[in-house]
Amino acid sequence: MRVGIGHDTHRLVEGRPLILGGVRIDHPRGLQGHSDADVVMHAVADALLGASGGGDIGEHYPDTDPRWLGLDSSHLLADVVERVRGQGWQVGNCDVTVHAQAPKLTPHKPGIRENLARLLRVGPGLVNVKAKTGELVGPIGRGEAIACEAAVLLIPIPS
Ligand code: MG
């Protein structure tokens, strides 16, 4: 078995859609970034790369590359899953924590979980989504940013 962790933070700005775990969420501001800035997808992808010893998403999908401009990060995660499976690994389970002062994420957790499970090619019971506010402290608590942490376990694909 192999374990990996991932983390991502993006700034909240006006004039951008808010997309978390592939779910478009109604909110006055969205995350700034080269791609769709989906911190959940980015953190999970980094956890997968970490577990497989594959580096990080910055190496594989540099934000200077015009191919990733406005990218739906679901494609990025699907690509990383493909890469890791090609090395003989499948996902054992995945756990994520999203840090956002607003909006309330409770209604969106099932959608995020389903999207991640589909992309990771596991049942939804193997994916867990948690949400925390920033307790009004620091950049997350002030609503300046949203962050996500992820942990992924990889197990060998049975031959
Ligand atoms: Mg990112």
Side-chain angles (χ1 to χ4, degrees):
M1 291 183 284
R2 301 279 293 260
V3 67
I5 58 168
H7 175 92
D8 198 26
T9 305
H10 280 263
R11 210 145 65 89
L12 272 169
V13 294
E14 308 220 340
R16 291 269 298 182
L18 178 60
I19 297 163
L20 291 174
V23 175
R24 194 179 169 123
I25 297 171
D26 193 28
H27 193 59
R29 290 182 299 158
L31 295 172
Q32 187 176 49
H34 185 69
S35 66
D36 64 3
D38 188 331
V39 288
V40 178
M41 297 289 176
H42 294 178
V44 172
D46 256 350
L48 281 161
L49 288 171
S52 67
D56 63 41
I57 54 173
E59 296 168 24
H60 299 287
Y61 313 95
D63 64 7
T64 49
D65 189 330
R67 275 182 301 170
W68 314 123
L69 185 64
L71 175 78
D72 172 352
S73 296
S74 300
H75 298 307
L76 183 151
L77 181 56
D79 195 62
V80 169
V81 169
E82 203 55 48
R83 183 186 296 264
V84 167
R85 288 181 68 89
Q87 295 166 340
W89 298 105
Q90 66 183 13
V91 172
N93 75 299
C94 170
D95 187 23
V96 307
T97 303
V98 186
H99 299 264
Q101 189 62 42
K104 277 269 168 250
L105 295 180
T106 307
H108 307 294
K109 284 182 190 170
I112 295 172
R113 185 181 197 173
E114 278 165 34
N115 285 341
L116 287 177
R118 189 185 71 250
L119 292 162
L120 295 174
R121 305 213 224 152
V122 296
L126 295 177
V127 176
N128 190 66
V129 178
K130 309 184 301 297
K132 307 285 282 181
T133 70
E135 293 290 340
L136 302 171
V137 175
I140 290 168
R142 288 191 297 268
E144 296 167 8
I146 289 179
C148 183
E149 285 145 7
V152 165
L153 184 77
L154 293 181
I155 55 178
I157 296 174
S159 48

